[in-house]
Amino acid sequence: MRTFTLEKVALSLLLLLYTSCGYAQWLQAEWDVMGTRATVELWLEPHQRSNGKDDNAINHPAVRAVHDEFERLNQLLSPWIAGSELALVNANAAQKSVAISTEFENLLQRSRWYFEKTNGAFDITFASAGHLYNYREGTQPDDATLESVAPAIGLNRVRVSASGVTFSDAATRIDLGGIAKGYAIDQAIALLKSFSIKHAYIGLGGDSYVLGDRNGRPWQVGIRHPRDDKAVALTLPVSDIAISTSGDYERYFMRDGERVHHILNPSTGRSSSSLVSVTVLAEKGIDADALSTSVFVMGPEKGLEMINRLEGVSAILITPEGDVLYSDDLAAPN
Ligand code: ADP
Ligand code: MG
């Protein structure tokens, strides 16, 4: 005869409790990198959870891979790290040809593609003037200084050949801040997919990507109100798409009633003021990122005209008056 002792019942209850620990769950992690905040939120199936002993989300292998990739890109592309590939190019390319990695070259070629597509509104040599601003300290170059660096701006000052990069003007500087975060997001999404993650949100400052859905519903991504950091201007239900917002409220200071911020018009070396927020949706983060900065500089008419011409991209613009403008594919039919 089989007997069910109290111990046996207790043991099977414990076993049941242990196996039910293998539930699916959302995992969230946040950290600072690339001068901004990284956020990762992902859905783990029971077999994708780590052994349960380590509750720290950052130590999950998929999150760790994203963390390390962002750090690697920061070391490669930061203008503030003296040994970064970007800093070495800026320090030496006016004197000699500087050898670069294939990855760096690809980013330069992509930047050139956008430079041409936007008639020079997207121009990584904006940094020739950009490095003279200090948003934290609230300082900017005077007109005479800007005039003296004007000849250094223009991507045709940058030559890329088999032996490396050269600058034809001693005052030329480049900065990939308008495209690097979108690229980093694409790298992160590829990594998450390699871990068989099906549902995730990745945010890096104003750039994000939503993979799959959230509990069977589209992700809800908010566009910040440009003049109230606690308010959301619009919420977009989205999945499997990159979203990038460029705003004049990210890095700025006020001077004589004017907002001096981090998106510069390369033709003047001054902050662009015809829009206050631009959100672009695209399949790839790199395109959403470059295009949000581009449209911000191009202004509402030329910017929307370009977005409407491009395949598979949408945009939402907020004007200084507070009007919201949409690309044709998003606008409600009249
Ligand atoms: P954020 O970095 O605030 O998320 P953006 O995607 O709009 O926002 O990128 C702004 C960054 O783009 C600036 O900090 C600067 O590094 C770079 N940038 C500014 N003006 C230009 C420009 N005209 N062309 C290309 N890059 C630019
Ligand atoms: Mg951008």
Side-chain angles (χ1 to χ4, degrees), residues 122 177-179 207 244-246 263 286 288-294:
F122 186 88
I179 198 167
D207 293 274
S244 171
T245 299
S246 293
I263 304 175
I286 192 167
D289 194 5
L291 285 170
S292 68
T293 309
S294 301

Side-chain angles (χ1 to χ4, degrees), residues 87-210:
L88 291 175
V89 166
N90 276 337
N92 301 300
Q95 291 92 46
K96 57 176 190 208
S97 182
V98 182
I100 51 169
S101 64
T102 313
E103 187 172 33
F104 197 86
E105 186 180 344
N106 288 341
L107 286 168
L108 291 186
Q109 302 300 12
R110 201 78 191 125
S111 300
R112 196 179 297 278
W113 193 83
Y114 275 108
F115 174 74
E116 281 157 14
K117 263 275 175 287
T118 63
N119 281 322
F122 186 88
D123 186 347
I124 57 172
T125 68
F126 82 92
S128 316
H131 82 102
L132 303 169
Y133 287 80
N134 187 326
Y135 300 99
R136 213 169 290 162
E137 286 172 15
T139 55
Q140 58 177 327
D142 59 24
D143 289 343
T145 311
L146 270 191
E147 221 167 279
S148 73
V149 296
I153 303 176
L155 205 50
N156 40 0
R157 313 289 187 277
V158 178
R159 182 181 291 272
V160 182
S161 71
S163 63
V165 189
T166 47
F167 294 163
S168 63
D169 192 296
T172 296
R173 299 270 188 292
I174 58 170
D175 187 312
L176 295 168
I179 198 167
K181 290 202 283 291
Y183 172 68
I185 294 249
D186 291 337
Q187 293 285 105
I189 287 295
L191 280 169
L192 290 186
K193 285 182 175 170
S194 78
F195 281 89
S196 301
I197 302 292
K198 301 279 191 298
H199 307 277
Y201 168 89
I202 295 195
L204 200 47
D207 293 274
S208 54
Y209 190 97
V210 286

